[in-house]
Amino acid sequence: MSGKVPQRSPQMGHLSCRVRNVLRGPRPEAVPVLLGRACALVGLLDVAAGVFPRFRHSRMHAIAEVLPGATGPFAAALSLSAGVLLLLLAHGLKRGKRRAWRAAVVLLPAGAVAQFTYRHSVIGVLISLALLAPLLRHRDQFAALPDPRSRWRALANFVLMGAGSLALGLVIVSAHPKTLVGDPSLADRITHVLYGLFGFEGPVDYQGTTSWTVAFSLGALGLLTAITTIYLAFRPEHPAAALTEDDEARLRALLAKHGGRDSLGHFALRRDKAVVFSPSGKAAVTYRVVSGVMLASGDPIGDVEAWPGAIERFMDEAKAHSWTPAVMGCSETGAEVWTRETGLDALELGDEAVVDVPDFSLTGRAMRNVRQMVKRIERAGYETRVRRVRDLGETELERIRRAAEDWRGTDTERGFSMALGRVGDSSDGDCLIATAHKADDEPGPYGDLKAILHFVPWGTDGVSLDLMRRDRAADPGMNELLIVAALQAAPKFDIARVSLNFAMFRSALARGEKIGAGPVLRAWRGLLVFLSRWFQIESLYKFNAKFQPRWEPRFVVYRASADLPRLGLAAMQAEGFVNMALPLPRFLRRRTTTRRPCPHRTPERDIQAA
């Protein structure tokens, strides 16, 4: 009973999705989005009113002049400050962030008071209150909690705000041509901006009060950059959630009962993921938050009938923080449950190569290339060993860890949905390691070790490929050799199925190369082949196809088509293909002690096909 997917009638399922969407609201609320856009518009007009004096002689000035701080040196600086802050708050308001709402509620009355004090304008006060009123009325829609964050954001803010202030400062300095004294060069203007950001007078001079207006405006930009950077540097951190020892123990208990369902189940034990459990504790969803995307991977862990409870907790957590929910690499069953329970959409992402051990053989024409390569490498003096992690000594494990780290093909560690992130941990004794060895006249730093394959458990009768590493100086074909060795040794470990790599867009590549493929499909395949120069798309497909596997489709679950670019970027960040983080300077770094140090973390499945 526990292995069956819970069914509902089509009417009840459709009604459940509609009711759940109304209660949970997976799509952004209209009011926060509209108010966020209104704040952005007012911010732009405030900035324009403070920068361009020509607005006083245009129709746009009829709108801009009644906004907070539009005239005089102080008012120009106040207009710029209010505009920049409202622009910074706009994105948070769109996502319903509570702290952005609080800041806007404080900023708008302050602008209204300044408007009345400096200009005695009732209309300006009314405009500020007109935007403040709906913010107060709909305050219950701004309840999203903060995102995970670290102190590197302070450095990012300093770089971005500094560059923006420099650019905007050049506009301010150049926006008063009629009052300029002489014809200052670009270098003089840049020097004036840099001096002005720090509160000093620069080489550019103006007639009348314009000099004070420019000075106050540049000083305000510099002060905003300093204040926001200091705030981000010293505010309390909200680090990304990580797997605790108790969470890991509960997940391992679920995998012991239900781990045979999904080949990606063991990757839920990555310690840089967080987890939510169903109310019954019989199912769980692991995830990581990347750039505001709450990214789950694979199917939920545990009893299928308890999946809806874990999915509901996942969606509630996404709503509480205003994160965009998404799932990468779930199975067809997982995609059905996710879409039915949440109203999200699913799209086939690619196929997973699974080899059934009883059906595998090197005989036959289809396996000729693999067979010849393996025989050639064996004649060159290579031998293979396939063992459980618990059967290796600590000395050999340490050598394998160091080799896997040094043989990584990229500087950036990769892997999220299909990588465990460690090798040889004491808690992963059931993992399988296949190694290739060859004695050399001059042994290297790792002795006779030439290549490594690491597999994680897939239930009690299967394994799933985690990483592939090889010495760059070794002969080509190491990965083919070790996969064949693992498949041939599998019966000794009671392994009946082996999951190899995931081939993205495999069906499009396969159908696009067949006779009779249409122009659209051929063009799509051509684009994938072109992208394969940078990403392992075609190479993974062709490598996996050598072993005559069966293909299991994998899906991405998403909220709306407009979220796909953002989801794609978040997935590439999670997998390590894109690194958005900036290194922290030493004075902003904080010493941390991890729960279980793991210096041998592993990257993506690096294919080195011959």
Side-chain angles (χ1 to χ4, degrees):
M1 185 66 178
S2 62
K4 297 180 180 179
V5 179
Q7 302 292 331
R8 300 179 186 175
S9 66
Q11 295 82 1
M12 288 298 295
H14 180 66
L15 179 61
S16 174
C17 287
R18 293 181 62 186
V19 172
R20 196 178 299 276
N21 287 342
V22 171
L23 294 178
R24 187 160 37 231
R27 297 181 182 275
E29 295 291 345
V31 171
V33 171
L34 290 175
L35 293 179
R37 291 174 179 172
C39 278
L41 178 60
V42 172
L44 287 173
L45 291 175
D46 269 354
V47 171
V51 172
F52 299 104
R54 293 180 183 179
F55 274 23
R56 295 171 182 160
H57 309 289
S58 65
R59 292 183 179 180
M60 182 62 72
H61 178 60
I63 300 176
E65 70 176 354
V66 296
L67 295 174
T71 58
F74 288 99
L78 179 60
S79 181
L80 279 174
S81 301
V84 171
L85 290 175
L86 286 174
L87 286 173
L88 293 176
L89 293 173
H91 181 65
L93 288 175
K94 289 179 182 179
R95 296 180 59 198
K97 291 296 185 180
R98 188 68 177 177
R99 290 191 174 181
W101 176 87
R102 290 173 179 170
V105 167
V106 172
L107 180 64
L108 287 172
V113 171
Q115 174 73 9
F116 183 78
T117 301
Y118 290 113
R119 305 201 55 224
H120 307 287
S121 172
V122 177
I123 297 178
V125 174
L126 292 178
I127 287 183
S128 296
L129 296 180
L131 184 57
L132 178 64
L135 283 175
L136 294 175
R137 179 182 178 186
H138 299 284
R139 59 184 177 275
D140 57 325
Q141 296 192 32
F142 297 89
L145 300 176
D147 290 344
R149 63 197 183 202
S150 58
R151 300 196 189 280
W152 71 266
R153 292 182 182 271
L155 180 60
N157 177 83
F158 177 76
V159 173
L160 296 177
M161 282 286 292
S165 297
L166 178 61
L168 187 56
L170 284 173
V171 175
I172 294 172
V173 170
S174 305
H176 308 270
K178 294 183 179 180
T179 58
L180 267 175
V181 176
D183 186 19
S185 63
L186 178 61
D188 289 336
R189 296 169 193 254
I190 294 176
T191 302
H192 191 85
V193 172
L194 292 176
Y195 274 62
L197 292 177
F198 289 93
F200 299 103
E201 187 68 25
V204 180
D205 198 10
Y206 301 88
Q207 299 175 2
T209 61
T210 304
S211 180
W212 287 100
T213 301
V214 172
F216 275 84
S217 299
L218 294 177
L221 289 176
L223 187 62
L224 280 179
T225 301
I227 290 177
T228 53
T229 300
I230 293 172
Y231 167 73
L232 292 173
F234 292 99
R235 68 177 177 174
E237 289 191 72
H238 284 250
L243 211 62
T244 65
E245 292 185 5
D246 180 63
D247 291 336
E248 185 173 332
R250 295 176 66 183
L251 285 174
R252 289 186 182 276
L254 292 177
L255 288 171
K257 295 181 180 179
H258 308 283
R261 174 174 291 281
D262 185 16
S263 63
L264 306 186
H266 199 85
F267 298 123
L269 297 176
R270 282 186 66 103
R271 289 165 185 160
D272 55 1
K273 291 183 177 180
V275 61
V276 289
F277 290 91
S278 65
S280 64
K282 296 181 179 180
V285 175
T286 58
Y287 66 91
R288 185 194 296 174
V289 179
V290 183
S291 297
V293 177
M294 190 177 183
L295 195 62
S297 60
D299 291 345
I301 307 300
D303 189 348
V304 178
E305 293 192 359
W307 284 6
I311 291 173
E312 184 175 1
R313 288 282 180 88
F314 177 88
M315 297 299 292
D316 288 340
E317 189 77 4
K319 183 187 177 184
H321 293 268
S322 190
W323 292 329
T324 300
V327 187
M328 292 290 296
C330 63
S331 68
E332 188 170 2
T333 299
E336 289 177 356
V337 177
W338 272 101
T339 55
R340 188 191 65 213
E341 294 297 324
T342 63
L344 302 179
D345 293 324
L347 179 68
E348 185 173 342
L349 187 62
D351 296 89
E352 175 189 14
V354 178
V355 178
D356 293 313
V357 174
D359 299 332
F360 176 76
S361 174
L362 283 177
T363 61
R365 182 178 180 83
M367 298 296 295
R368 182 179 61 180
N369 291 337
V370 176
R371 182 174 64 250
Q372 291 176 348
M373 178 170 289
V374 170
K375 294 297 183 182
R376 176 180 60 82
I377 297 174
E378 289 176 343
R379 287 195 298 269
Y382 288 89
E383 65 174 16
T384 59
R385 303 169 192 169
V386 182
R387 294 158 290 176
R388 297 281 189 186
V389 167
R390 60 172 172 265
D391 297 328
L392 275 73
E394 184 58 35
T395 301
E396 186 173 8
L397 268 178
E398 181 59 29
R399 184 167 67 248
I400 291 174
R401 291 168 187 160
R402 290 189 291 106
E405 178 73 17
D406 291 346
W407 293 343
R408 185 171 62 204
T410 59
D411 294 333
T412 303
E413 179 184 347
R414 294 179 180 173
F416 166 66
S417 57
M418 300 181 184
L420 185 59
R422 58 183 184 268
V423 175
D425 192 273
S426 59
S427 60
D428 299 322
D430 288 337
C431 290
L432 203 67
I433 289 184
T435 54
H437 304 263
K438 182 183 179 182
D440 295 326
D441 295 336
E442 297 182 3
Y446 311 111
D448 62 351
L449 184 64
K450 300 300 180 184
I452 305 164
L453 259 63
H454 185 256
F455 299 84
V456 299
W458 175 11
T460 58
D461 63 345
V463 290
S464 183
L465 183 59
D466 175 27
L467 67 84
M468 309 174 77
R469 296 285 185 274
R470 63 184 287 266
D471 186 350
R472 306 300 177 183
D475 293 339
M478 289 291 102
N479 292 329
E480 288 89 337
L481 173 69
L482 288 181
I483 287 179
V484 170
L487 290 170
Q488 291 177 338
K492 182 176 65 175
F493 299 98
D494 297 324
I495 294 173
R497 50 187 180 167
V498 176
S499 170
L500 300 179
N501 297 281
F502 170 75
M504 185 174 292
F505 306 119
R506 195 275 315 176
S507 58
L509 290 169
R511 292 196 299 265
E513 63 184 357
K514 291 183 178 179
I515 296 177
V520 175
L521 189 57
R522 287 185 179 275
W524 174 227
R525 181 182 181 276
L527 176 61
L528 294 177
V529 172
F530 175 75
L531 293 176
S532 296
R533 298 180 181 182
W534 298 277
F535 305 100
Q536 294 176 342
I537 300 177
E538 187 183 29
S539 60
L540 277 175
Y541 160 57
K542 290 185 174 181
F543 179 85
N544 293 331
K546 293 180 181 181
F547 304 96
Q548 302 299 306
R550 57 181 169 90
W551 300 100
E552 297 290 340
R554 290 283 173 173
F555 297 82
V556 56
V557 178
Y558 60 98
R559 183 174 60 184
S561 298
D563 292 333
L564 287 177
R566 184 182 179 192
L567 170 58
L569 178 61
M572 293 179 69
Q573 287 180 250
E575 296 289 350
F577 289 101
V578 176
N579 186 13
M580 303 294 287
L582 297 174
L584 275 174
R586 289 181 177 272
F587 71 92
L588 287 178
R589 295 177 187 174
R590 187 180 69 176
R591 293 182 178 272
T592 58
T593 302
T594 57
R595 180 171 57 88
R596 271 176 279 185
C598 188
H600 48 274
R601 298 178 67 186
T602 57
E604 85 291 356
R605 304 172 178 187
D606 183 23
I607 294 299
Q608 299 295 330

